[in-house]
Amino acid sequence: MSISGTGTQADPYIVDTWADFVTAVETVDAYVKVDTSTVATWDFAKMVEGGLSTIIDWNAIEVDGNGLTIKGLFGTEERWFSATSSTAKVVKNLNLLDMAKTTVTTGVFHGRAIEFRNCKFSGVIEGGNFFEPYSGGVATFTTGGIAGNDPRGCAFAFKFSGDARLASAACTFNHCNMNFDGTSTNTSTQEMKMYESKISGKMPWASFKNSGGGQNVIDAEIDTIDTWSNTSGGVTLINTDKLASGLSVPSGFTGVTSTQMLDADALGAVGFIVETEEPEGGE
């Protein structure tokens, strides 16, 4: 079908093809929603021969993927999606899986004032950044609010290599699940503002800083510690069983074993509070 709707908040553009998606997303101040009633997964290689060769200007105010998965994003364009206006933007319920961001790509997303809600991202990041800020702007990956307790934040599964980072600025990760692999040669500090979030897998960076807040978990293999800091004011756990031999828990972080991570009393003893629900009929 062709694009329907008028692009307003009450009557968003409805799209179900890649071409119409791009047209709608590039429309200034538009509201966009993907129709996934027929096809909920798009195979990028079958839609765009040769991958992205030109930048997509992300001008829409809100894009609701409605559960859409775009698989296998790739391309030769330096930046794939660019949102450089100061107008706040929301991207929600959109999954970009199995992407291949090679060294020719500076950033998958380039921009400022972007909030991602309930999105999933996966693939290989070879050099550059997944998110590249513009004019001091940063991104927020969240459920919709820092104070929220909704566990359905964004999810990441990335393998890093070369001079790769998740972001070259301190983006916010609220209620996010992140699984990392690989090793980055980037010597800059990967700063993240983590709120009620978790990193598992393997830490790709030797230098890391958490400047967020709340309770966070790093349940990942750590092979190298150069400069690590936790200025969040909250509790950020590190699984000591996954530290390489000879490494110790950096100042500002709290070390616990794999067994203690599963023990609410042990976590409570170090100030990490695990909320439990009363069973039905309980007092």
Side-chain angles (χ1 to χ4, degrees), residues 106-177:
T106 304
V108 173
F109 281 96
H110 169 241
R112 55 180 171 175
I114 308 176
E115 183 174 297
F116 297 88
R117 302 176 185 170
N118 193 30
C119 296
K120 296 180 177 65
F121 309 97
S122 73
V124 177
I125 309 294
E126 299 177 357
N129 309 288
F130 170 68
F131 183 84
E132 179 194 6
Y134 171 79
S135 190
V138 292
T140 298
F141 300 88
T142 183
T143 61
I146 294 297
N149 59 5
D150 188 333
R152 296 171 299 171
C154 294
F156 301 80
F158 282 141
K159 183 173 183 178
F160 295 89
S161 65
D163 189 41
R165 286 190 291 179
L166 185 61
S168 55
C171 294
T172 295
F173 299 85
N174 177 33
H175 287 87
C176 291
N177 239 319

Side-chain angles (χ1 to χ4, degrees), residues 72-75 80 97-102 105 108 122-126:
L73 272 168
F74 73 103
W80 291 354
L97 305 184
D98 302 332
M99 69 180 72
K101 195 200 81 58
T102 61
T105 312
V108 173
S122 73
V124 177
I125 309 294
E126 299 177 357

